[in-house]
Amino acid sequence: MISQRKSPLKSPLRTEIPRVVLLVETSREPGRSIMRGIERYARLYGPWSFHLTPGDWIQHFAGAKALHPSGIIARIETPEVAQAILESQLPTVAIDLHEDQKSPGGAFRNTSEIFVNSYAVGKMAAEYLLERQYPHYAFVGEMNNVLWSKERERGFRESLQKAGFSCHSFPLPHPVQTWSIEIHTLGKWLQSLPKPVGILAAMDVRGRQIISACQVYGIRVPEDIAVLGVDNDTLLCDMCTPRLSSIAIHSQTGGFQAAAILDGLMKGKLTGRQTWRIEPLRVETRESTEISPTNDPDVADAIRFIKMNDLTPLNATDVARYSALSRRVLEMRFRKVLGRSILEEINHRRLERIKNMLTKTDMKVYEIAEVCGFCSSSYLSRFFRRETGMTIAEFLHQHPPNIS
């Protein structure tokens, strides 16, 4: 690994600033994170000038030729871009090459590359969902069934098999369908799955599509289907209802390493094919996998009701009245499924909402108390200390607000 504190390459005196073409998606978190890593390297060891076109995976090289570039970092998604890069004969670092591109006969078999350890992503997803003890599991891949998607499925499937479970896979339509058509293909397949089921989506966009299909077909998330995405695109995840859990990838470090490799290639300090593997970091848990799976529909509906009203001072009688069960019966079933009482579940949900407001907003304590139905900030403070064993100030010291 290239050190981020000490320059890996002793450079001769500069006569001009390197001009680097970035053919990287800016509309998705993986591309943005990679570019942040590239920028950090250039800030430390540059300067570099960049050519980039904001947009999705489909990038264009033609406009960069006039800049007489020194090197390229690219996700090579079209024949036009592939041909332009090959003709340029410039030092190039590719991102997640396709299977045929780097095969023994592939045009980019000798090209340096950074790539996600997608097998490890699938393995992490399986371990995470297995901890939640779902009885069934499934995988939804990327439409074009690219190498990284297949590797995520392989890591997921093999890890499940070692634990004694099988994995259902969504049969990708051929030819590729538009989302307005595929939502029905996907929705009918989701309906057919045994439930409850934990699903790994190959990327956050697919995770969002699964949640949308569930909404159209009346499937509960996460009670019937828990959904886990990949990339941790926070805006995309937070705009799902419920919010999408996702695996965060060490993409920024990958971008830093891509820039370091390109720097060495441009200076002639590195030769031959160089590679760097980007590892998964952690799972960011959100509501799409938050509730433990249960075959008890009354408890699942009661939990949903509590979540929908976590800004309201509920009590156990309110929840029992909603469920049309006696409080005693519902209490027994709550303890059997969750290991805690109805009131403990209500307080847990309210506490999570309060913590989120404390760390993700600039709201004052008295404002949070008002929104959450406490008669004063002192009542909120006493509730918080009773449930957590610490004051709000102590909690904020350990978890500084991150408002973005």
Side-chain angles (χ1 to χ4, degrees):
M1 177 175 176
I2 301 296
S3 170
Q4 298 181 21
R5 295 185 178 181
K6 182 178 180 181
S7 175
L9 301 167
K10 185 175 181 180
S11 305
L13 295 175
R14 292 178 181 270
T15 57
E16 61 180 20
I17 295 175
R19 295 176 292 278
V20 175
V21 176
L22 298 181
L23 302 178
V24 183
E25 73 279 6
T26 61
S27 63
R28 302 172 189 256
E29 177 56 29
R32 294 192 297 269
S33 186
I34 285 171
M35 286 195 292
R36 283 191 286 268
I38 294 168
E39 185 278 329
R40 189 170 77 249
Y41 183 92
R43 181 162 24 96
L44 290 170
Y45 305 129
W48 288 359
S49 66
F50 295 106
H51 170 85
L52 64 100
T53 304
D56 210 340
W57 280 344
I58 305 303
Q59 297 285 316
H60 302 283
F61 184 74
K65 292 180 180 178
L67 299 176
H68 304 291
S70 312
I72 303 168
I73 299 176
R75 194 185 294 278
I76 306 171
E77 295 294 326
T78 65
E80 293 76 16
V81 167
Q83 186 62 32
I85 290 174
L86 291 171
E87 290 177 354
S88 75
Q89 298 185 333
L90 288 169
T92 299
V93 178
I95 303 168
D96 272 315
L97 283 167
H98 290 222
E99 205 165 0
D100 61 329
Q101 292 172 334
K102 60 181 178 181
S103 65
F108 293 93
R109 63 189 179 278
N110 296 319
T111 301
S112 296
E113 179 191 16
I114 63 167
F115 59 94
V116 175
N117 186 351
S118 288
Y119 185 91
V121 170
K123 183 174 182 290
M124 179 180 286
E127 291 170 350
Y128 173 83
L129 292 174
L130 283 166
E131 286 180 358
R132 280 150 179 75
Q133 300 181 339
Y134 294 95
H136 308 286
Y137 300 89
F139 177 82
V140 177
E142 169 58 12
M143 285 302 298
N144 293 314
N145 204 23
V146 289
L147 178 60
W148 53 262
S149 178
K150 290 192 288 187
E151 282 294 290
R152 288 172 191 182
E153 179 178 10
R154 187 170 72 90
F156 188 60
R157 182 180 297 278
E158 291 182 1
S159 298
L160 290 173
Q161 288 173 343
K162 288 179 182 178
F165 293 90
S166 60
C167 177
H168 302 266
S169 290
F170 176 57
L172 299 174
H174 298 287
V176 172
Q177 297 175 344
T178 62
W179 174 235
S180 60
I181 297 174
E182 195 204 6
I183 188 173
H184 300 293
T185 307
L186 179 60
K188 291 173 183 177
W189 177 77
L190 292 170
Q191 278 188 326
S192 74
L193 292 175
K195 299 176 180 67
V197 56
I199 296 183
L200 172 62
M203 57 192 295
D204 288 339
V205 171
R206 289 301 263 168
R208 178 174 176 79
Q209 289 173 335
I210 292 169
I211 290 174
S212 296
C214 286
Q215 290 171 342
V216 171
Y217 280 80
I219 302 169
R220 300 174 303 173
V221 178
E223 293 87 347
D224 297 325
I225 290 179
V227 188
L228 176 64
V230 181
D231 293 330
N232 197 38
D233 189 326
T234 54
L235 179 61
L236 191 65
C237 293
D238 287 346
M239 291 190 73
C240 294
T241 305
R243 297 187 309 148
L244 177 65
S245 297
S246 184
I247 296 177
I249 307 294
H250 215 331
S251 298
Q252 191 169 147
T253 295
F256 188 95
Q257 297 299 323
I261 291 170
L262 184 64
D263 198 14
L265 294 172
M266 291 191 298
K267 291 173 179 175
K269 302 288 187 180
L270 296 175
T271 59
R273 174 175 162 82
Q274 309 289 322
T275 62
W276 177 263
R277 190 170 62 185
I278 305 171
E279 300 293 341
L281 280 172
R282 62 187 176 278
V283 178
E284 290 290 346
T285 297
R286 300 181 180 90
E287 287 87 347
S288 71
T289 60
E290 192 176 50
I291 296 177
S292 298
T294 171
N295 288 316
D296 189 325
D298 293 316
V299 172
D301 285 342
I303 293 171
R304 180 184 288 272
F305 177 73
I306 292 169
K307 283 184 61 182
M308 289 172 58
N309 293 280
D310 61 359
L311 294 179
T312 304
L314 284 178
N315 57 44
T317 301
D318 295 326
V319 180
R321 187 180 298 117
Y322 167 79
S323 70
L325 295 173
S326 72
R327 177 172 170 175
R328 181 174 177 274
V329 169
L330 190 60
E331 284 282 10
M332 292 173 60
R333 286 160 71 169
F334 253 71
R335 289 192 179 278
K336 180 179 179 181
V337 171
L338 297 179
R340 54 179 174 257
S341 69
I342 300 172
L343 182 59
E344 287 169 340
E345 178 67 12
I346 291 170
N347 289 341
H348 168 71
R349 295 293 169 183
R350 296 192 81 195
L351 182 63
E352 289 304 303
R353 173 75 80 157
I354 293 164
K355 286 180 178 179
N356 191 58
M357 289 181 174
L358 287 169
T359 57
K360 300 294 176 62
T361 76
D362 58 358
M363 295 174 69
K364 306 299 183 186
V365 173
Y366 74 87
E367 293 174 318
I368 296 174
E370 182 177 349
V371 168
C372 293
F374 290 90
C375 60
S376 69
S377 56
S378 62
Y379 275 92
L380 169 59
S381 297
R382 286 200 291 273
F383 169 81
F384 193 91
R385 185 161 192 170
R386 186 189 74 211
E387 295 297 319
T388 66
M390 66 178 74
T391 66
I392 291 175
E394 289 168 341
F395 172 77
L396 290 174
H397 180 72
Q398 293 181 15
H399 308 276
N402 181 18
I403 304 168
S404 57

